[in-house]
Amino acid sequence: MKKHSNPDKVNSLKHVLFGSLIGTTIEFFDFYIYANAAVLVFPKLFFPGSNPTASIIESLATFSIAFFARPIGSAVFGHYGDKIGRKTTLVVALLTMGISTVAIGLLPTYESIGILAPLLLMLCRFGQGLGLGGEWGGAVLLAIENAPSGKRAWYGMFPQLGAPIGLLLSGGTFLLLSDLLTNEQFFEYGWRIPFIASSLLVGIGFYIRLKITETPSFVNAKETKKEVKIPLLSILKSFKRELIFGTFAAVATFVTFYLMTVFSLSWATSHLGFSRRDFLIIELFAILFFVIGIPLSAVLADRLGRRLILLLVSAAIGFFGLSFSYFMDSGSTFLITTFICLGMGLMGLTYGPLGTFLSELFPTEVRYSGASLTFNLAGILGASFAPLIAIWLATQYGIAFVGYYLSFAALISFLALLVISKKEHQF
């Protein structure tokens, strides 16, 4: 039988953890620079109109495209990740995301080519979602399938750290450009720099990923002939409950994150009187709480169990949502900053063990497909239209209803975590 990896060659701890972290950092950096640009740049350059609110809504609608592309990426990359291996699939997913991001930085604007500009933007955004749909699951599996017993959540949190690091890099880049360039220079060419510069990060990630061998779990599944012909069909046939309730269990994570970042940035700069620079500084500071929450929750998850930690944090998010109006309507920079920091801290606590929890719902032969699909379907439900829904609720009914929306999402996740079938699968 053809070997897919040298069983005598074991991945080093350094390569495993850095390889999983660098990929998700790049992927989320690419993803978040689009999120920032969708609020700050694209409404003016790709969706010009007499109504600023309508331009923002049209721009954020393109933001949602990636979330519908992500499950497709999960199905495609997950299939090959479960059939031919984690390593090759991860490399291709990284390149898909990277090429799409660089292409955005090279696009002509509406003023140059008219309606074709937003159409090309949407195509590139679809490519970003396709790549990220395949990247996240593979990166998490690279970490946890190499983890020693009792430390799976700790290993699984390293790719999760890519999210705050990517957010920090993207927000820091836009802040730096805001300081170095005039407003005219920023809109003329400055906004393109982070998209094009991401090619450097992709090159680093590509090199690191090529040095990694297959995970022991995948090699074992191949050698014992546990592979299935079509992983997606196997999931739909035998793991529907895990797929459905796993998706709902992750909804609160996505809603929390995109309300704390995309919606808050849009609302603060358009309705609360914050400048782009000032609110980016607040968000960059709040990311520190995101970073702290991830390893903290991973340690607790290894000691107390993934489900218990996720249940407790989902309940905390539910109560946190009820405070939305108090903080965001306060007019106080201190209270608003405190609010964003609390929200990002809760995000870290729920995000840390999530990758491990979702991966453990599925056996090795369908794990790439199952974990990726679950995570990215939750992205459709919890993130694709979250900024749009939040802006509509805040405009029509007041900011308090945005909080109720978050609390409702937390309730859904809490109930899903209670009823989900959690059977330990062999690694």
Side-chain angles (χ1 to χ4, degrees):
M1 182 178 66
K2 181 181 177 180
K3 298 290 184 180
H4 291 257
S5 177
N6 182 355
D8 296 323
K9 185 176 180 182
V10 179
N11 286 316
S12 69
L13 177 63
K14 175 182 68 175
H15 282 150
V16 167
L17 299 184
F18 188 63
S20 63
L21 173 62
I22 188 65
T24 52
T25 298
I26 296 165
E27 301 287 352
F28 283 104
F29 171 77
D30 289 356
F31 211 69
Y32 295 151
I33 56 175
Y34 190 99
N36 282 329
V39 172
L40 303 174
V41 178
F42 296 154
K44 180 177 180 179
L45 297 184
F46 286 84
F47 302 94
S50 57
N51 187 336
T53 301
S55 294
I56 289 177
I57 290 176
E58 289 171 357
S59 178
L60 288 177
T62 69
F63 174 76
S64 69
I65 289 173
F67 291 97
F68 290 91
R70 281 165 68 164
I72 299 174
S74 299
V76 174
F77 288 110
H79 175 84
Y80 290 105
D82 285 325
K83 295 288 288 183
I84 67 174
R86 314 326 194 189
K87 174 182 174 176
T88 302
T89 308
L90 276 169
V91 169
V92 177
L94 182 67
L95 291 177
T96 302
M97 182 77 172
I99 292 171
S100 300
T101 302
V102 173
I104 291 173
L106 300 174
L107 287 179
T109 63
Y110 187 92
E111 186 179 15
S112 300
I113 60 173
I115 191 64
L116 190 58
L119 292 177
L120 289 173
L121 181 66
M122 288 187 283
L123 179 63
C124 292
R125 181 59 173 168
F126 184 86
Q128 278 193 314
L130 204 67
L132 187 55
E135 161 65 28
W136 179 87
V140 170
L141 297 195
L142 176 64
I144 68 171
E145 289 186 349
N146 280 286
S149 178
K151 290 190 175 181
R152 203 175 294 149
W154 176 256
Y155 272 55
M157 71 91 184
F158 276 88
Q160 303 296 74
L161 280 174
I165 295 173
L167 180 59
L168 187 66
L169 290 174
S170 63
T173 300
F174 272 94
L175 180 62
L176 184 64
L177 291 172
S178 296
D179 285 345
L180 295 179
L181 303 176
T182 65
N183 207 47
E184 291 74 19
Q185 290 172 326
F186 178 78
F187 280 97
E188 182 180 352
Y189 65 86
W191 68 271
R192 299 180 182 275
I193 294 174
F195 288 95
I196 297 173
S198 70
S199 59
L200 300 176
L201 294 175
V202 171
I204 296 172
F206 182 74
Y207 173 75
I208 295 297
R209 288 279 171 83
L210 287 179
K211 294 176 71 67
I212 295 171
T213 60
E214 280 300 344
T215 69
S217 296
F218 178 80
V219 173
N220 181 65
K222 281 288 183 183
E223 292 176 345
T224 55
K225 299 182 179 180
K226 287 184 177 180
E227 61 183 303
V228 297
K229 189 173 182 180
I230 304 178
L232 178 59
L233 293 182
S234 179
I235 290 169
L236 296 177
K237 179 180 178 181
S238 304
F239 299 97
K240 289 191 295 291
R241 184 180 178 88
E242 288 83 353
L243 180 66
I244 293 170
F245 288 107
T247 296
F248 286 125
V251 163
T253 301
F254 281 95
V255 175
T256 302
F257 180 78
Y258 285 99
L259 292 189
M260 292 300 103
T261 54
V262 179
F263 166 74
S264 294
L265 177 62
S266 176
W267 191 256
T269 55
S270 61
H271 289 79
L272 302 182
F274 285 89
S275 69
R276 179 179 68 213
R277 182 182 186 279
D278 289 345
F279 202 77
L280 282 172
I281 290 174
I282 291 174
E283 288 200 331
L284 288 174
F285 176 69
I287 292 170
L288 297 176
F289 293 84
F290 189 6
V291 172
I292 292 170
I294 290 175
L296 176 60
S297 61
V299 170
L300 293 174
D302 273 332
R303 293 181 179 179
L304 305 176
R306 294 49 144 156
R307 188 209 299 259
L308 177 60
I309 298 303
L310 290 172
L311 278 168
L312 292 174
V313 180
S314 294
I317 291 173
F319 286 109
F320 173 73
L322 301 178
S323 68
F324 227 97
S325 178
Y326 172 77
F327 285 101
M328 291 296 279
D329 279 340
S330 66
S332 165
T333 300
F334 174 76
L335 287 179
I336 291 173
T337 302
T338 300
F339 175 73
I340 300 298
C341 290
L342 287 172
M344 293 302 281
L346 288 171
M347 175 63 197
L349 291 174
T350 186
Y351 198 59
L354 183 66
T356 306
F357 178 80
L358 295 180
S359 299
E360 289 174 340
L361 295 177
F362 304 94
T364 304
E365 58 269 24
V366 296
R367 186 173 293 136
Y368 200 133
S369 299
S372 297
L373 272 173
T374 304
F375 183 77
N376 289 305
L377 286 174
I380 290 181
L381 294 180
S384 58
F385 293 113
L388 285 173
I389 293 171
I391 288 174
W392 180 77
L393 287 171
T395 304
Q396 298 296 319
Y397 301 103
I399 200 73
F401 280 81
V402 179
Y404 301 152
Y405 169 45
L406 176 59
S407 296
F408 180 68
L411 177 62
I412 290 175
S413 290
F414 185 87
L415 294 176
L417 287 162
L418 281 179
V419 303
I420 196 169
S421 174
K422 183 67 166 61
K423 182 174 68 174
E424 192 75 15
H425 292 286
Q426 183 179 357
F427 273 71

